[in-house]
């Protein structure tokens, strides 16, 4: 028998180590955010008020790209890319394609999502959700550029009850999608590189298909086949054929893909075959959706449309969800790729997005019999709206997300509000941050929060960040210089930081922090002791919060940011 005193000592050391680590992460006086208010005020919604039979598109504003949709009975489920955001793959439910409720995230555990050490635009790309009526199971297949995972699939009997851990799939490429045929057979299609030595030009890609073993949840080795080489017309050197989906209608197999890259040449194209593995013949009227041909200065511009998925609507008519962008007055993309919807005419041989080949309008007709309840009864808002969060509910709204790690690792709901315990990590590091994020959803908006915080050292900071990535962001927060509280505004571009302004403040009680934008013009301000808001740093450019400047695939995020590794030092 082992020495009992040594065993007891080992247990005590272990307990002390765990509690000691916890206490180091637990700040003595952690920041408390007692309220956050987001207000959107875009002119397009004032100019285009809704009639009773209309709703707005995009249906999801802000960074909800790469939509995929499926249906079981009267239930629709839709998912989106989430990159290094945590939890991953937001999932929405609807009964009518107009009114949507977020029911959670598909990847909500560390065992499913391993993005702790990756840049914000890596991680989760292009999820595909599909219901298989053959075994009454939902599948979500996706590429995870993190954790050594690659392509993977998770599944569930009920999307409202959580999803399995991942099944790692043994093939390369990106943008996988599943197809379940009526005979019980299953297939995976995806984007890939051409066979080695056969790449003809930069951006040359192919679409591959594999047979899929549903018992093993794995592709069947040796069954892969290239079914599209390059795109609709290889002689025209089409780029980035991707995001494939197979649909079956009247005994024919239709392969729909994005083509042209995810920028201003983006489009959706379609092919047809008599068999799931081809050969596939392109439709004579491709593309079936694009915004690339129109004047760059058109009013209420929607651009980059593509990456679509189809579903039968409640009125027995097809609809397509897809990504698009709405650039601001400087043609910059700060709100990211958003989720749009259009009816689809499939009365002929091929589907065509209705009004998807002319400049898109901000509103469309609802399916017959539907009542628009957006922003009411728990349904997701769109158009112009105000969202107020007082952090009093036991369950924090799903719109609030972390970056690279669970929000539960750093936050707690208390009687005073939201308590964030700081990580020794600042916003520029490629690590989990102690930051709670909300997506920018409008060109014109303001975001205000109320903060109680007494920094203990110059390494402590709490406030707001506006973040496009770890290399492009603004930080506006309260820190310490000497024995005094200071506000500081920092701009980081290409990883290089510059203090734009700082101000000593005399605030023993709460401080109100605000960021507001009018298109490309952003401004940061503060208020103490019931006084009016005071600007700090003047008007600054939102350029670094745009995809055009920062690159990557995300939209701008507004964060409640806390750190004990602050490097934004007041001047």
């Amino acid at each position: 028998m082992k020495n009992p005193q040594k065993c007891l000592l080992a247990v005590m050391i272990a307990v002390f180590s765990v509690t000691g680590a916890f206490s180091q992460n637990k700040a003595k006086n952690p920041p408390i955010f007692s309220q956050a208010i987001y207000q959107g005020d875009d002119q397009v919604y004032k100019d285009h008020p809704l009639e009773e039979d209309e709703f707005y598109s995009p249906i999801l504003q802000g960074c909800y790209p790469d939509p995929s949709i499926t249906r079981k009975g009267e239930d629709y489920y839709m998912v989106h890319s989430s990159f290094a955001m945590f939890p991953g793959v937001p999932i929405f439910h609807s009964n009518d394609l107009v009114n949507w409720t977020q029911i959670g995230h598909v990847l909500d555990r560390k065992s499913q999502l391993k993005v702790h050490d990756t840049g914000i635009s890596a991680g989760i790309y292009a999820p595909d959700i599909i219901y298989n009526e053959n075994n009454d199971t939902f599948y979500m297949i996706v590429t995870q550029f993190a954790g050594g995972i690659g392509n993977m699939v998770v599944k569930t009997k009920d999307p409202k009850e959580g999803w399995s851990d991942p099944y790692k799939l043994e093939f390369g490429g990106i943008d996988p999608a599943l197809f379940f045929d009526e005979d019980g057979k299953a297939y995976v299609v995806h984007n890939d590189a051409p066979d080695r030595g056969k790449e003809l030009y930069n951006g040359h890609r192919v679409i591959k298909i594999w047979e899929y073993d549903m018992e093993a949840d794995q592709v069947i080795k040796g069954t892969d086949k290239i079914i599209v080489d390059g795109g609709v017309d290889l002689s025209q050197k089409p780029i980035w054929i991707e995001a494939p989906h197979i649909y079956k209608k009247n005994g024919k197999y239709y392969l729909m893909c994005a083509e042209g890259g995810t920028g201003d040449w983006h489009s959706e194209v379609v092919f047809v075959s008599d068999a799931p593995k081809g050969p596939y013949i392109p439709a004579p009227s491709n593309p079936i959706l694009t915004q690339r041909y129109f004047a760059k200065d058109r009013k209420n511009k929607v651009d980059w449309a593509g990456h679509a998925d189809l579903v039968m609507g409640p009125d027995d008519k097809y609809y397509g969800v897809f990504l698009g962008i709405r650039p601001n007055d400087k043609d910059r993309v700060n709100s990211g790729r958003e989720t749009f919807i259009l009816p689809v005419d499939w009365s002929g041989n091929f589907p065509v997005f209705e009004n998807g080949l002319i400049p898109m309008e901000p509103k469309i007709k609802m399916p017959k019999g539907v009542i628009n309840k957006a922003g009411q009864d728990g349904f997701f808002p769109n158009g112009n709206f105000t969202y107020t969060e007082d952090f009093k509910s036991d369950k924090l709204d799903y719109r609030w997300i972390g970056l690279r790690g669970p929000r539960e690792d750093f936050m707690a709901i208390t009687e005073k509000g939201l308590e964030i315990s700081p990580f020794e990590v600042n916003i520029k590091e490629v690590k989990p941050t102690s930051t709670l994020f909300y997506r920018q959803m409008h060109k014109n908006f303001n975001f205000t929060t109320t903060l109680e915080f007494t920094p203990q050292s110059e390494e402590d900071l709490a406030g707001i960040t506006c973040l496009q990535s770890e290399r492009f962001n603004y930080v506006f927060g309260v820190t310490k210089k000497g024995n005094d509280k200071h506000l500081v505004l920092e701009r980081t571009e290409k990883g290089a930081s510059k203090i734009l302004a700082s101000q000593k403040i005399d605030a023993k009680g709460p401080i109100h922090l605000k960021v507001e934008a009018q298109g490309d013009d952003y401004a940061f301000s503060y208020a103490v002791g019931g006084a009016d808001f005071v600007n700090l740093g003047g008007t600054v450019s939102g350029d670094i919060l745009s995809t055009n400047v920062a690159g990557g695939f995300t939209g701008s995020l507004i964060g409640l940011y806390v750190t004990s590794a602050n490097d934004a030092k007041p001047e």
Side-chain angles (χ1 to χ4, degrees):
M1 182 178 178
K2 293 182 178 179
N3 186 321
Q5 290 181 324
K6 288 185 178 180
C7 291
L8 178 60
L9 180 60
V11 170
M12 291 175 66
I13 291 172
V15 169
F16 177 79
S17 299
V18 172
T19 56
F22 176 79
S23 64
Q24 286 176 5
N25 187 49
K26 185 75 172 176
K28 292 180 180 178
N29 296 294
I32 301 287
F33 295 88
S34 55
Q35 190 179 64
I37 302 173
Y38 175 93
Q39 294 179 304
D41 190 34
D42 284 352
Q43 188 63 39
V44 62
Y45 298 118
K46 300 174 185 178
D47 294 342
H48 296 84
L50 291 175
E51 302 294 335
E52 285 188 3
D53 62 344
E54 296 175 331
F55 70 117
Y56 287 125
S57 182
I59 49 175
L60 296 182
Q61 297 158 227
C63 183
Y64 293 99
D66 307 331
S68 176
I69 192 168
T70 195
R71 177 181 182 180
K72 177 187 178 183
E74 297 181 352
D75 295 302
Y76 295 89
Y77 297 94
M78 183 168 61
V79 295
H80 313 267
S81 291
S82 55
F83 310 104
M85 303 168 200
F86 202 115
V89 188
I91 180 167
F92 291 81
H93 171 264
S94 178
N95 292 119
D96 52 29
L97 299 181
V98 174
N99 303 298
W100 291 91
T101 303
Q102 187 171 0
I103 59 172
H105 293 79
V106 175
L107 306 178
D108 57 9
R109 307 186 300 276
K110 290 181 180 179
S111 59
Q112 300 169 309
L113 188 57
K114 302 182 183 298
V115 293
H116 57 280
D117 59 356
T118 192
I120 193 172
S121 280
I124 297 297
Y125 280 46
D128 169 73
I129 188 171
I130 188 168
Y131 172 67
N132 181 9
E133 61 182 16
N134 298 324
N135 62 358
D136 187 29
T137 301
F138 290 86
Y139 293 77
M140 195 282 292
I141 186 171
V142 73
T143 307
Q144 182 169 177
F145 280 107
I149 295 175
N151 292 303
M152 54 172 267
V153 67
V154 294
K155 56 186 182 178
T156 184
K157 291 291 185 181
D158 184 353
K160 297 177 181 178
E161 296 297 327
W163 295 73
S164 70
D165 276 349
Y167 298 85
K168 183 175 167 60
L169 301 173
E170 295 174 0
F171 62 89
I174 62 170
D175 292 10
L178 281 158
F179 170 68
F180 300 105
D181 209 345
E182 296 161 337
D183 60 5
K185 290 186 177 180
Y187 303 86
V188 170
V189 286
H190 65 96
N191 160 299
D192 208 345
D195 290 340
R196 183 171 295 180
K198 294 186 178 181
E199 183 178 358
L200 302 178
Y201 52 87
N202 187 28
H204 179 200
R205 304 291 286 182
V206 303
I207 300 297
K208 279 186 179 178
I209 190 168
W210 300 72
E211 295 176 25
Y212 186 78
D213 183 342
M214 287 192 295
E215 295 297 322
D217 281 303
Q218 187 58 259
V219 293
I220 300 173
K221 289 183 179 180
T223 62
D224 56 310
K225 179 183 179 183
I226 294 174
I227 53 175
V228 174
D229 185 5
V232 168
D233 183 353
L234 186 59
S235 70
Q236 298 298 310
K237 298 183 178 180
I239 62 170
W240 286 99
I241 190 78
E242 58 188 355
H245 297 281
I246 292 178
Y247 312 94
K248 191 173 185 180
K249 185 174 185 282
N250 298 331
K252 299 280 189 179
Y253 297 85
Y254 293 85
L255 173 68
M256 192 175 76
C257 306
E259 187 186 278
T262 194
D264 59 8
W265 204 248
H266 208 197
S267 71
E268 199 71 16
V269 296
V270 67
F271 307 76
V272 66
S273 176
D274 292 323
K277 296 184 75 171
Y280 281 90
I281 308 301
S285 55
N286 280 315
I288 60 173
L289 167 71
T290 191
Q291 295 288 289
R292 67 192 180 199
Y293 298 119
F294 312 121
K296 297 298 183 185
D297 60 351
R298 62 190 183 274
K299 191 174 182 181
N300 299 325
K301 179 166 72 172
V302 175
D303 214 349
W304 303 7
H307 200 117
D309 198 4
L310 303 181
V311 72
M312 182 67 77
D315 52 358
D316 294 326
K317 179 181 179 66
Y318 282 94
Y319 288 80
V321 293
F322 56 97
L323 71 78
I325 57 105
R326 297 178 298 160
N328 66 21
D329 54 314
K330 296 287 180 64
D331 208 35
R332 290 174 178 147
V333 184
N334 291 43
S335 52
R337 295 162 171 86
E338 305 175 295
T339 289
F340 293 74
I341 190 169
L342 281 176
V344 172
D345 181 355
W346 205 340
S347 58
N349 290 332
F350 294 98
V352 177
F353 285 75
E354 294 183 14
N355 298 324
L357 296 171
I358 62 174
M360 287 173 54
E361 297 292 332
K363 56 184 187 176
I364 59 177
K365 297 292 185 182
M366 289 191 292
K368 189 175 180 179
V370 175
I371 298 173
N372 189 345
K373 298 180 181 178
Q376 307 170 42
D377 302 328
F379 291 111
F380 217 65
N382 66 4
N384 284 333
F385 60 85
T386 297
Y387 169 68
T388 301
E389 176 62 71
D390 58 13
F391 301 113
K392 291 182 179 178
S393 173
D394 291 338
K395 189 175 183 181
L396 188 60
D397 193 285
Y398 291 124
R399 282 172 278 191
W400 295 99
I401 52 173
L403 180 57
R404 304 188 191 93
R407 56 191 193 174
E408 292 79 12
D409 285 356
F410 58 80
M411 53 149 278
I413 302 295
T414 71
E415 290 183 358
K416 292 184 177 181
L418 175 76
E419 178 183 293
I420 296 183
S421 295
F423 290 163
E424 198 173 335
V425 175
N426 69 52
I427 206 69
K428 288 169 274 190
E429 297 183 74
V430 183
K431 298 176 182 178
T433 68
S434 42
T435 317
L436 198 62
F437 286 103
Y438 185 93
R439 292 166 173 86
Q440 178 180 332
M441 297 178 168
H442 297 79
K443 302 171 192 176
N444 304 333
F445 76 91
N446 66 73
F447 178 92
T448 307
T449 189
T450 303
L451 168 67
E452 289 191 48
F453 177 51
T454 301
Q456 302 299 303
S457 76
E458 295 181 359
E459 279 66 52
D460 296 333
L461 179 140
I464 293 173
T465 180
C466 290
L467 179 133
Q468 173 63 228
S469 75
E470 54 275 359
R471 300 183 71 243
F472 293 84
N473 54 74
Y474 284 103
V475 167
F476 179 53
V478 178
T479 185
K480 190 175 184 181
K481 180 180 180 181
N483 294 320
D484 300 317
K485 274 187 183 181
H486 278 69
L487 261 175
V488 63
L489 176 62
E490 179 191 62
R491 172 185 166 101
T492 296
E493 181 176 3
K494 297 181 181 178
S497 298
K498 179 182 179 181
I499 301 299
L500 301 184
S502 61
Q503 175 68 50
K504 177 183 172 182
I505 55 172
D506 183 15
K508 295 182 174 59
I511 181 170
H512 306 282
L513 302 177
K514 179 191 288 188
V515 56
E516 50 194 327
Q518 293 291 317
D520 190 63
D521 293 335
Y522 284 63
F524 296 85
S525 56
Y526 68 97
V528 295
D532 292 338
F533 276 93
V534 177
N535 173 264
L536 185 69
T539 299
V540 299
S541 175
D543 55 354
I544 59 171
L545 304 178
S546 69
T547 306
N548 321 55
V549 172
F553 300 104
T554 62
S556 179
L557 303 176
I558 309 161
L560 304 177
Y561 169 47
V562 177
T563 180
S564 60
N566 173 46
D567 65 348
K569 307 295 186 181
E571 294 182 337

